[in-house]
Amino acid sequence: MKDLAQTFEYLKQFLTEERLAKIEHFSKESSDFVLPVMDDVYQFRNAAAIIRSVEACAFHKVVAMEEENVFNPNLTVTKGAETWVEVEKMPKNIASLQNIKDRGYKILAVSLEKNAVMLPEYEITEPIALVFGTEQAGVSEEVIDFADETLAIPMFGFTRSYNVSVAAGICMYELKQKLLKSNIDYKLNEQKLLEMQVRWAVNSISSGKEIYAKYLAEQNIL
């Protein structure tokens, strides 16, 4: 914790006052209480739109489970959101979902299967990992079988599914509203907050990764 605080203080000198103010302001609302998990999503425009929705709701992490496809957002669509959102890549398998579950997340597959709870009625009481499926096939059968619950978005027309990026945007927004209205302490703890502020600072600085690595080496932190 002390090392992180010192590191952030060191990096501040390379930031403009405006960028530092933004980092300190927006990081305070950040949360990993809702973790979006992409089940082999591949269309780069969808990936980019998902990143934007996640960042707009201040959930600053996405897990991309990859098999045949690479989660590679189109940077012209993200509008800079990729600077703030961490993408953790994992193999597409049940072991990866078990890893996420072991971190304390309840696994929710976004699907109409298994008597899904409708999003407006869902009560969020603990950290959840929302698994979104591919553009064509949806969430895979093995993921649905592994999930603790399934969650669905109500639809009122002939269309029976939303585009994956639209579904992610709706879920992120609705769940954020539920958290804002709750008494849940959903924001990052001090350790995670500092880790994120350091990452944001590094991403905001020209040659930030090199400056950061040199600092760590000099401090014998590595």
Side-chain angles (χ1 to χ4, degrees):
M1 183 87 71
K2 182 179 178 181
D3 287 341
L4 282 171
Q6 290 176 342
T7 301
F8 187 45
E9 284 299 318
Y10 173 77
L11 293 172
K12 284 180 181 180
Q13 67 182 302
F14 300 100
L15 298 167
T16 64
E17 289 185 9
E18 180 182 9
R19 179 52 62 98
L20 176 58
K22 286 183 176 180
I23 288 174
E24 291 182 331
H25 174 75
F26 290 111
S27 62
K28 293 176 183 177
E29 184 55 39
S30 186
S31 172
D32 60 357
F33 206 84
V34 177
L35 179 66
V37 179
M38 303 300 122
D39 184 13
D40 212 29
V41 170
Y42 62 91
Q43 291 186 359
F44 60 86
R45 288 188 177 276
N46 280 337
I50 289 164
I51 292 290
R52 286 184 67 181
S53 295
V54 169
E55 199 290 317
C57 294
F59 300 116
H60 288 106
K61 183 166 185 176
V62 169
V63 171
M65 296 198 304
E66 298 178 337
E67 185 177 48
E68 298 178 359
N69 306 304
V70 175
F71 188 83
N72 187 25
N74 182 333
L75 301 187
T76 63
V77 180
T78 58
K79 302 296 184 182
E82 77 285 350
T83 300
W84 316 113
V85 177
E86 178 186 3
V87 177
E88 179 182 1
K89 296 192 174 186
M90 305 175 76
K92 174 183 159 53
N93 53 42
I94 294 302
S96 292
L97 285 178
Q98 185 63 55
N99 180 302
I100 295 169
K101 191 168 186 175
D102 291 343
R103 300 178 195 179
Y105 286 96
K106 185 176 187 177
I107 307 297
L108 269 68
V110 180
S111 171
L112 284 167
E113 307 293 329
K114 287 176 62 177
N115 298 315
V117 179
M118 290 295 158
L119 179 59
E121 284 73 53
Y122 185 76
E123 294 184 16
I124 182 167
T125 59
E126 59 187 306
I128 59 174
L130 281 183
V131 186
F132 297 91
T134 61
E135 291 82 348
Q136 293 182 331
V139 182
S140 62
E141 195 69 35
E142 64 175 355
V143 171
I144 292 172
D145 289 340
F146 180 83
D148 298 299
E149 285 186 71
T150 53
L151 185 70
I153 305 169
M155 287 165 283
F156 306 98
F158 290 106
T159 302
R160 301 315 301 157
S161 66
Y162 289 100
N163 170 280
V164 63
S165 64
V166 173
I170 292 171
C171 288
M172 293 298 105
Y173 181 80
E174 288 293 325
L175 291 166
K176 177 70 172 186
Q177 296 307 304
K178 290 175 184 291
L179 288 173
L180 286 170
K181 295 172 184 176
S182 74
N183 295 318
I184 296 171
D185 182 14
Y186 64 86
K187 297 181 183 179
L188 298 179
N189 61 34
E190 189 175 356
Q191 171 86 14
K192 290 181 178 179
L193 180 62
L194 279 168
E195 288 173 355
M196 192 179 68
Q197 287 175 331
V198 167
R199 181 167 55 81
W200 283 6
V202 170
N203 289 347
S204 298
I205 300 167
S206 178
S207 301
K209 291 182 180 179
E210 291 78 6
I211 291 170
Y212 181 47
K214 182 180 179 182
Y215 172 79
L216 294 180
E218 290 173 348
Q219 301 298 313
N220 294 317
I221 295 176
L222 285 177

